[in-house]
Amino acid sequence: MSPEFADLADELNVSPQDFIVNKRGFSAFFGTDLDLQLRRRGIDTIILGGISTHAGVDSTARDAYQLGYDQYFITDMMAAQTEELHQFPIEHLFPIMGQTMTTEEFLNDVVAK
């Protein structure tokens, strides 16, 4: 993997206190210490988005569901190779595991409260 592919955008203002997960597969939980790090910090809710709705986001969501996390799926922060691959998990799988919404809905309905 080229170094620039893994570089985080300056706009994220990453600090030394931020925990970075280096995924080795589809799920952010499998083969990482993400669950341990979240639990250490008392975090029980996650917000999901990603570049592969049907693979990376779905796999991470399934693991998070099995681990008991509350989940928000931000549908306009996801993408897939085809619209069908993008829409299927949003319409049929993610609602079973958490709440699906757009960024605007999340900011207005969840963050603003």
Side-chain angles (χ1 to χ4, degrees):
M1 177 179 353
S2 65
E4 64 275 358
F5 183 78
D7 289 346
L8 298 171
D10 292 336
E11 294 83 2
L12 293 174
N13 298 318
V14 177
S15 74
Q17 293 80 25
D18 291 329
F19 179 72
I20 308 294
V21 175
N22 293 307
K23 287 178 35 174
R24 290 166 181 79
F26 288 136
S27 173
F29 287 97
F30 183 79
T32 72
D33 64 344
L34 178 58
D35 182 46
L36 172 67
Q37 296 298 331
L38 293 172
R39 292 192 191 283
R40 278 185 178 167
R41 292 163 173 80
I43 297 169
D44 62 2
T45 302
I46 60 174
I47 303 160
L48 291 172
I51 60 170
S52 183
T53 310
H54 65 294
V57 179
D58 182 42
S59 296
T60 299
R62 289 170 189 253
D63 286 345
Y65 180 76
Q66 295 296 328
L67 292 166
Y69 287 92
D70 293 324
Q71 300 183 80
Y72 289 95
F73 299 94
I74 311 303
T75 58
D76 57 348
M77 278 187 0
M78 302 175 190
Q81 289 88 343
T82 69
E83 188 62 21
E84 181 180 26
L85 289 173
H86 175 67
Q87 287 300 329
F88 184 85
I90 290 171
E91 293 173 9
H92 303 284
L93 302 173
F94 297 161
I96 297 168
M97 298 181 274
Q99 297 181 55
T100 59
M101 55 186 57
T102 64
T103 301
E104 183 176 347
E105 291 168 335
F106 180 76
L107 293 174
N108 292 334
D109 299 343
V110 179
V111 175
K113 288 183 179 179

